[in-house]
Structures are given as C-alpha cells and as structure tokens.
Amino acid sequence: MQDFIFEVSTKILFGRDNLKKLSKEIKAHGNKVLICYGGGSVKRSGLYDKIVANLKENNIEYKDLAGIEPNPRIESVKRGIEIVKENNIDFILAVGGGSVIDCAKLVAAGAKIEADPWKIVLGEERVREALPIGAILTIAATGSEMDNLSVISNMDTKQKLAWGSKYVLPKFAIMNPEYTYTVPKYHTAAGSADIMSHTMENYFSLNDGCYMQDRMSEGILKTVINYGPIAYNDPENYEARANLMWSSSWAINGLLGSGKSTAWSVHAMEHELSAYYDITHGVGLAILTPRWLRHVLNDETVEKIATFGKNVFEIEETSDRFEDANKAIDALHKFFKEELNIPMTLKEIGIDETHLREMADATITHNGGNIMGFVELSSEDVYEIFKESL
Amino acid sequence: MQDFIFEVSTKILFGRDNLKKLSKEIKAHGNKVLICYGGGSVKRSGLYDKIVANLKENNIEYKDLAGIEPNPRIESVKRGIEIVKENNIDFILAVGGGSVIDCAKLVAAGAKIEADPWKIVLGEERVREALPIGAILTIAATGSEMDNLSVISNMDTKQKLAWGSKYVLPKFAIMNPEYTYTVPKYHTAAGSADIMSHTMENYFSLNDGCYMQDRMSEGILKTVINYGPIAYNDPENYEARANLMWSSSWAINGLLGSGKSTAWSVHAMEHELSAYYDITHGVGLAILTPRWLRHVLNDETVEKIATFGKNVFEIEETSDRFEDANKAIDALHKFFKEELNIPMTLKEIGIDETHLREMADATITHNGGNIMGFVELSSEDVYEIFKESL
C-alpha cells in the first residue's frame, strides 16, 4: 500500500427530509448564491421552486446559471463566472448531476482568477482558492458531489479533460434518492455503468496490497449489480435509488483508490469518444470496459480478473483461470446489455470507423504518453480496443 | 435506508513518511500542545523522541499527559484538564491507540467547561466546543482516530460508558502501519477482534435496505480475517498492518452504520465486563460475540447470519438455513480461537459466576432499558449470554 492522504470533509445530508436545511448549510459559507442547473428537469420536477422558496424564506439572494450541458462546456463556465463577478456571488449551488457539479467547480475556481478558466483545465493556471460549493444531487453517477474532480469539454478543440483541486470539494451535498425517481431509464443505466466504471478503474491494479480497498470495491460493484436493474425497471424504488446514490459517492471519493496508483484507462479512452461525438459518458464506459478487459487479459492480469468474476458475479472457479476470467468479462458485458439495456456497440450510438485512429492518438496525447495502468496501453492498443467496440 | 448525516472531516495521513508533517498540521489549529500517551511504549519505541524533535524544530511548546490506562479512567482525564488549564494548552495530541485518543477527547471537551468532566460522559453536561485534537495511531483497533466517540471508565462507580460529540472528531490522524509492528501478539489479536466487532455491530440488523453498507462490512471482515493472523504471526508485515489499520478506521467512522439504527449489543455487554474486571476490550468482544449470535439466532435473524457465513467465511449454502447460520457462528468462534489464539471463555480471563447477574442488570441499566438491537435483549438474555461465555 502506497502512502496517501485521505481528506473528504463534504457533509452529506442523505435521505428524504434534508432540503429544509439548505439555507442553514449555505449560510455557514456565504449568502449570495449562484444556482447552477441543466436543461430544465429541475424546474419540471418542482425541485427548483422548493430551493428558491427555501432561499427566499432565509433572505438569501440568488442568480441562475441555467442550461449546463450533459458534457459541460467551457462556454457555460465562462457565463457562470461572469454572473458571479457581476453580482458579487459568494456561494455556488449545483443542482443536478455530475455535469452541473463539474461546471460549478470550475465556476467556483475560475471566479477567483483573471485568466481564462480553460487554463485551469489545461493545468496552465494553478488553483489556489475557490468559492464554496454545495450540491443537491439529482442523479447517481459521477460522484462529483463528494470529490474534488471535474471534467469539462471544449468542443472547439475537441477536448474533454479532467482537472481537480481540493478547493472545489463541495462543502455539503444534499442527497435525496427521491430526486432521482425521474431520471430516465437510459440515464439510470448509464449512471449505474458510470459508478461501476469508477469502481473498476480503482479495482483493476496489480499486487499493490490494497486488499481492503478491493473488497470494498467488490461491495460497491455487487450493490450496483443488484440495484441498477431494479431502479431501471422500478424507477421509484427508494431502496434501489438510495443504494445507487450512496454507492456513486463512494466509488470515486478516494477511499477505493487510497494507497493505489491507478491510471483510469477506460476513462481516458471514453473522454475522446465524448469529445468527438458528445455521447453519454456512462454508455461509452460500458461499451469500452469489457473490450478493454479482454484486450489486457494476460498471464499477469488473469488472476485479478478471475477474482473479480468470483467475488462480484459469483462465477465458480475452475482449474483454468483464463476460462474464469473470460467468463467474468462475459458476465460484465451481459449485465450491461441484458440487465441495463445499454447499447453495447459504438455503431449503435453513432460512432463508426471514421475517427477511431484520430481518437486513439488523441487518447495518448492527452494522457501525456502511453497509459501506464493495469496494462500499458499504446495508441495502437487503444485503436484495437475501439475497433473491438464497433 | 433511514435519513442520515455523514461528516467525517478528519485528514488522514497514511503511510511510512508523514511524521515530518506533524507540526504543520498542528499549526493549522494551535501551538501549545498536550501530548497524551500511555504506559511508555511510545518512549521505548523512539516515537516520542521523534515527535518531540519535530515540535521543537518548529517552536511548538508542549506538556505531557503520560500513563493513560488501557481502559482510560476519569482520573487521567482530570489530570489532563488541569495541565491544559494551567498551561494555556490549545491543542491535544494523542499518541497511542483508542484508550489514549478517547482520553484525549474528554480532555479536549472537559477543558472547555468548569464542571466535572464525568458529567459529559453521563450526558449531564452538553459539549458545545472542544480543543482541536490530532492523533498518531500506534494500534489498529478502536477507530477512535476517525470518529467522534470516546469510552471512559470510572472504577469507583464500576462504570465504563461511551459518549460522543462532533467537536471531538480528530482534525488529523497520522497512521503509519510501522508504528504497530511492536504491538504484542495478544493485543494484535484483540485489536483485530475489536475491528470485527465494530463491523458486526453495524452489520447485524434486519431489513433496513442498507445493502451497500453490508457489502462494505463484509469487505472489512474479510480483510481482518485475511490479515489478522498474518500480523499475529509476522508482526512486521507491512501489508497486513496497513490493511488492519485502514480497516480499523472504516469499521466505526459512520460509513458502515449509515442509514441504519443499530444497538451495539455486544459492546453494551462487554463494557460491563471491562468495568468490573478491567479486561482487554477486544478479548471480551471476541468471547461474547459468537454466544450472542447463537442466543439471537431465530426465524427472523437466520437469513442474515447465514448470509454472513456465505459472504464472509465462504460457507456453502445448504437447504437448511439454520445449519448454515450455525456453521457461520462456529467459523467465527474458531477463527478467534485458532487463528488469533484468543482465550474464548470468561474463565480463562479471570471472570467467574460471581458478578454475572449484577453485570447483566448493569448492562440493561446503563442502556436505559432492554437493548433494542438485532434481537431485543433483557437482563435475563444478557445473563444467559454471560453464562454461555463462562
């Protein structure tokens, strides 16, 4: 186990009855709020009105940043920063899923600098402070409510890049599973795949002695495998929504990856698909993951993949560990396809041969060289994985 | 899943190389330190000298509170509070295990009131503030480094009672698995049992929909079952010590019990054993837990206990769930006895019939009535469990 620092101070208010505490939580940090949200579902569901009523009752002023995209774009961030600066906003409230929270994070950090916020994403501008952020979560997926990461897209340059800073860890997150009842089936499935992918990115590593973290990862994976299909088929099942929501936070807040160095190989590849085609992140991850695992299956990795099959999918061990590992990969593919109805080929989501080579090269470029993860991946490896995923 | 708040802001500095950051972490909160420790092992190991050197280099003044007992007593707390008040101490540094940290917590809270600190333990005095606390952990067991709980003994009144406050959650914890290399075998075993007991107290509940938490609990249990015996037999095995140490924090910091209401039945019973006989907490827990499980095994609980057997001890399922559950309890008993060499009867640790009835009654009195946990326990039930444990 490598040395690490774990510090996740986000206050989680989980359950049905916490929205009434919103203004009190905000007032610990600020009193002029930018409410960030997406395409309007928070207005249709009535959540926005409840939030605004709570703020008004408590004399908290607010402005809106509406229309944040599913893969949040730098233009929305800039719009947010302008509103913040014009109105002396001192608190950022993100209402939505990972896209909205990720956008809010860059607004919070970007508002503290004069330079173009895209420079933060590129690592050219260092984050030294940020406005405090709160989140009201409406979809279980990215875990952005309890981590310090953010992914922002720049469609002009075809870049979708991750950045992070301890200063943008949300101060609090209100997590009411009921708010996810209206998440459409497709996004419930994609969110489940996203949680699983975060967990697997942490899980698939070699001989690092992080046994506890791996057993915890298997626990998260079993949870999503159990409840993803239930939430898909029965959207208002509280228990399923609650377990998915709480899993989403723990998949990526640092616990499962503590003491490890992991490369997040599939995320690096998927970011190129989204940057080129603006697809749903979780769907891209679901398509790529089994192909990636098959591609990296070798004498060194077979034991870990077979263990995954046994502990997560309860696949009986045989004397042939490659057989066990292949069965595990099959089970994962089948779960995405049959239990979550995810389109499991790139063609089904509108991606053909055209840009595969270009996206494979971009994966390696944006990674700053070969991906040194579970198994080292070159541009050629990524291209092969893309082709297998067609 | 019930509504809950999760807020664990303790900064964990985990691994071999973090002691050099001590003064920097302290200075974020204070600059006149009370160093709390136990019977001198931190001096023999050289850790104390390293700490003092780091403080001196950084011009941090300090006083000592030495000799804190394994079941920390209210007298030590009072001694600590005196030193704090006489010297205008503004930071409490606990160097040790749960006993030292628990004592430090009451010193930190007690220093802010004029009343007898025992009143805090009794719930007669409310905690509204506390001095900031840091911990340097030297044994994996109680998890006190990352929670807001504390257990203090009063031998005059034969009381060993738990109390807690968010104000005494440590600001940081330095967790170096190497510091636990010198923990004697008996205490390595007892610490492992303690971690498992915390996990099981959170785990054994009925139909609360906390599936994720239960799978995470199983992960912690598997970790301790894997590494407890390794650390016992090979005390300087870093991987084993690291996994046990990290597990100890997560067993009790709130994650595994989030969304649940659990009664901590075995702890309530064990606290009486320690209060009357000053035994090692983890050993008492190990002795009681299998007897408790056998006592509460019934039509309602059989499924959960059998699931525990399957998921933790890999016991094959049969058509007879009572057989499965009994095998699980046997496996747990056998693990404590044969893998950790824990004396598994009360007689072996010097407890006979004499005070059993009195301790059973005290369990219920201190609990404020029957224990409403996994299965309701009356004084008669507790007495039966004690008798079975003889």
Side-chain angles (χ1 to χ4, degrees):
Chain A
M1 206 183 292
Q2 297 172 9
D3 286 14
F4 63 86
I5 287 174
F6 180 87
E7 188 179 17
V8 183
S9 56
T10 307
K11 179 177 181 179
I12 302 293
L13 300 100
F14 196 102
R16 294 175 170 91
D17 201 28
N18 288 304
L19 195 63
K20 61 187 180 196
K21 300 170 192 156
L22 174 62
S23 291
K24 191 180 161 215
E25 294 298 330
I26 291 173
K27 280 185 173 175
H29 307 283
N31 50 45
K32 206 160 178 187
V33 173
L34 181 70
I35 310 177
C36 305
Y37 54 97
S41 66
V42 297
K43 289 208 164 172
R44 287 191 299 278
S45 71
L47 176 58
Y48 178 87
D49 288 341
K50 286 182 198 160
I51 290 166
V52 163
N54 186 280
L55 297 181
K56 282 183 178 164
E57 265 169 42
N58 293 279
N59 301 309
I60 295 177
E61 288 181 55
Y62 64 90
K63 295 282 172 186
D64 284 14
L65 174 65
I68 296 168
E69 307 80 7
N71 285 314
R73 301 187 187 182
I74 190 66
E75 291 79 12
S76 296
V77 173
K78 289 179 182 170
R79 209 153 41 85
I81 292 171
E82 260 178 48
I83 303 171
V84 166
K85 289 186 174 174
E86 276 167 18
N87 297 277
N88 295 313
I89 300 276
D90 61 8
F91 190 88
I92 311 292
L93 180 66
V95 185
S99 304
V100 170
I101 304 170
D102 283 6
C103 177
K105 285 174 176 174
L106 192 53
V107 172
K112 292 287 191 177
I113 61 167
E114 291 307 312
D116 182 341
W118 186 245
K119 290 194 170 179
I120 290 176
V121 180
L122 293 174
E124 293 170 6
E125 188 79 23
R126 197 173 148 192
V127 177
R128 288 191 173 81
E129 54 178 336
L131 292 175
I133 300 166
I136 299 177
L137 194 64
T138 63
I139 177 169
T142 69
S144 191
E145 67 281 359
M146 204 181 180
D147 75 14
N148 53 26
L149 302 168
S150 160
V151 180
I152 303 293
S153 292
N154 187 331
M155 299 313 276
D156 291 342
T157 60
K158 287 192 173 150
Q159 284 173 301
K160 177 181 175 178
L161 299 175
W163 66 284
S165 159
K166 66 175 181 178
Y167 298 105
V168 298
L169 180 73
K171 301 294 181 193
F172 68 83
I174 291 177
M175 297 173 62
N176 182 344
E178 293 174 340
Y179 296 161
T180 66
Y181 284 176
T182 53
V183 173
K185 279 179 187 297
Y186 186 71
H187 286 284
T188 297
S192 297
D194 198 17
I195 301 168
M196 289 177 70
S197 175
H198 296 158
T199 309
M200 291 186 286
E201 299 275 29
N202 283 314
Y203 181 79
F204 286 112
S205 61
L206 290 171
N207 308 320
D208 48 24
C210 296
Y211 185 100
M212 183 199 92
Q213 295 85 326
D214 286 348
R215 301 293 85 75
M216 302 284 253
S217 292
E218 289 159 0
I220 297 278
L221 291 169
K222 284 199 267 193
T223 303
V224 180
I225 288 165
N226 189 60
Y227 288 112
I230 296 174
Y232 185 90
N233 293 309
D234 178 14
E236 303 202 356
N237 185 307
Y238 186 86
E239 184 174 315
R241 293 295 194 180
N243 274 279
L244 291 175
M245 190 175 239
W246 201 206
S247 292
S248 75
S249 304
W250 289 95
I252 197 173
N253 70 5
L255 173 62
L256 303 187
S258 59
K260 292 188 163 205
S261 59
T262 54
W264 289 62
S265 311
V266 180
H267 272 68
M269 293 186 276
E270 196 289 323
H271 282 182
E272 298 309 321
L273 302 185
S274 284
Y276 278 72
Y277 291 95
D278 205 15
I279 63 166
T280 300
H281 178 53
V283 170
L285 295 169
I287 295 171
L288 294 175
T289 302
R291 278 70 181 228
W292 167 67
L293 282 174
R294 196 90 67 190
H295 187 84
V296 301
L297 175 59
N298 63 30
D299 286 338
E300 271 203 314
T301 61
V302 63
E303 189 54 40
K304 187 69 177 260
I305 299 173
T307 298
F308 162 77
K310 172 169 180 272
N311 291 351
V312 174
F313 285 105
E314 304 198 4
I315 291 167
E316 278 207 35
E317 291 179 292
T318 68
S319 55
D320 182 345
R321 296 304 268 164
F322 276 90
E323 187 186 323
D324 297 348
N326 274 307
K327 278 187 195 160
I329 299 168
D330 291 343
L332 180 66
H333 188 114
K334 195 173 168 204
F335 172 77
F336 286 143
K337 187 179 169 80
E338 295 181 11
E339 301 288 325
L340 294 179
N341 279 322
I342 292 177
M344 281 299 285
T345 63
L346 292 179
K347 282 193 177 133
E348 288 171 78
I349 57 168
I351 300 177
D352 61 15
E353 284 267 8
T354 317
H355 297 291
L356 293 195
R357 177 67 74 180
E358 203 178 329
M359 292 190 295
D361 291 344
T363 302
I364 300 306
T365 305
H366 289 142
N367 190 61
N370 282 2
I371 300 173
M372 306 303 288
F374 193 39
V375 169
E376 182 177 345
L377 299 179
S378 67
S379 168
E380 191 59 33
D381 291 306
V382 176
Y383 179 64
E384 289 294 325
I385 292 165
F386 284 160
K387 272 205 303 185
E388 289 297 323
S389 308
L390 272 176
Chain B
M1 206 183 291
Q2 298 172 8
D3 287 14
F4 63 87
I5 288 176
F6 180 89
E7 187 179 19
V8 182
S9 55
T10 307
K11 179 177 182 180
I12 302 294
L13 299 99
F14 195 102
R16 294 176 172 90
D17 202 27
N18 288 303
L19 194 63
K20 61 187 180 197
K21 300 170 194 157
L22 174 62
S23 292
K24 192 182 160 212
E25 295 298 331
I26 291 173
K27 280 186 172 172
H29 307 283
N31 50 45
K32 206 161 178 188
V33 173
L34 180 71
I35 310 177
C36 305
Y37 55 97
S41 66
V42 297
K43 288 208 165 171
R44 287 192 298 279
S45 72
L47 176 57
Y48 179 86
D49 288 341
K50 284 183 199 160
I51 290 167
V52 164
N54 186 279
L55 298 181
K56 283 183 177 164
E57 264 169 41
N58 293 279
N59 300 311
I60 294 177
E61 287 180 55
Y62 64 90
K63 296 282 174 187
D64 283 15
L65 174 64
I68 297 168
E69 306 80 8
N71 285 313
R73 300 185 187 185
I74 189 66
E75 290 78 13
S76 296
V77 173
K78 288 178 183 171
R79 211 154 37 87
I81 292 172
E82 260 179 47
I83 303 171
V84 167
K85 289 185 175 174
E86 276 167 17
N87 297 279
N88 295 313
I89 300 276
D90 61 8
F91 190 88
I92 311 292
L93 180 65
V95 185
S99 304
V100 170
I101 304 170
D102 284 7
C103 176
K105 285 174 176 174
L106 192 53
V107 171
K112 291 288 191 178
I113 60 167
E114 292 306 314
D116 183 342
W118 185 245
K119 289 194 170 177
I120 290 175
V121 179
L122 293 174
E124 294 170 6
E125 189 78 23
R126 197 172 149 193
V127 177
R128 289 193 170 80
E129 55 178 337
L131 292 175
I133 300 165
I136 299 177
L137 194 63
T138 63
I139 177 169
T142 70
S144 191
E145 67 282 358
M146 205 182 179
D147 75 14
N148 53 27
L149 302 168
S150 160
V151 180
I152 303 293
S153 292
N154 186 332
M155 299 313 278
D156 291 342
T157 59
K158 286 189 174 153
Q159 284 174 302
K160 178 180 174 177
L161 299 174
W163 66 283
S165 159
K166 67 175 180 178
Y167 297 106
V168 298
L169 180 74
K171 301 294 179 193
F172 67 83
I174 292 178
M175 297 172 65
N176 181 345
E178 292 173 342
Y179 296 161
T180 66
Y181 284 175
T182 53
V183 174
K185 280 180 187 294
Y186 187 71
H187 286 284
T188 296
S192 298
D194 198 19
I195 301 167
M196 289 178 70
S197 176
H198 297 158
T199 309
M200 291 186 285
E201 299 274 29
N202 282 314
Y203 181 79
F204 286 112
S205 60
L206 292 170
N207 309 318
D208 49 24
C210 295
Y211 186 99
M212 183 199 91
Q213 294 87 323
D214 286 349
R215 299 295 85 73
M216 302 284 254
S217 292
E218 289 158 0
I220 297 278
L221 290 169
K222 284 200 267 194
T223 303
V224 181
I225 288 165
N226 189 60
Y227 287 111
I230 295 175
Y232 185 90
N233 294 310
D234 179 15
E236 303 202 358
N237 185 307
Y238 186 87
E239 185 175 313
R241 294 294 194 181
N243 275 278
L244 291 176
M245 190 174 240
W246 201 206
S247 292
S248 75
S249 305
W250 289 95
I252 197 173
N253 70 6
L255 173 62
L256 303 187
S258 60
K260 293 188 162 202
S261 58
T262 54
W264 288 62
S265 312
V266 180
H267 272 68
M269 293 186 278
E270 196 289 322
H271 281 183
E272 299 310 321
L273 302 186
S274 285
Y276 277 71
Y277 292 94
D278 205 17
I279 64 167
T280 300
H281 177 55
V283 170
L285 296 168
I287 294 171
L288 293 175
T289 301
R291 277 70 180 228
W292 167 66
L293 282 174
R294 196 90 66 190
H295 187 85
V296 302
L297 175 59
N298 63 29
D299 285 339
E300 270 202 315
T301 61
V302 63
E303 189 54 38
K304 188 67 179 263
I305 299 174
T307 298
F308 161 76
K310 173 170 180 273
N311 291 350
V312 174
F313 285 105
E314 305 199 2
I315 290 167
E316 276 207 36
E317 290 178 294
T318 69
S319 55
D320 181 347
R321 295 305 265 165
F322 276 89
E323 187 187 321
D324 297 348
N326 274 307
K327 278 187 195 159
I329 299 168
D330 292 341
L332 180 66
H333 188 114
K334 195 174 168 206
F335 172 77
F336 286 143
K337 187 179 169 77
E338 295 182 10
E339 301 289 325
L340 294 180
N341 279 321
I342 292 177
M344 282 298 285
T345 63
L346 292 180
K347 283 193 177 135
E348 287 170 78
I349 57 168
I351 300 178
D352 61 15
E353 284 266 8
T354 317
H355 297 291
L356 293 195
R357 177 68 73 180
E358 203 179 330
M359 293 191 295
D361 291 345
T363 302
I364 300 306
T365 305
H366 290 143
N367 190 61
N370 281 1
I371 300 173
M372 307 303 286
F374 193 38
V375 169
E376 182 177 345
L377 300 179
S378 67
S379 168
E380 192 57 34
D381 291 306
V382 176
Y383 180 63
E384 290 293 326
I385 293 165
F386 283 160
K387 272 205 303 184
E388 288 297 323
S389 307
L390 273 176

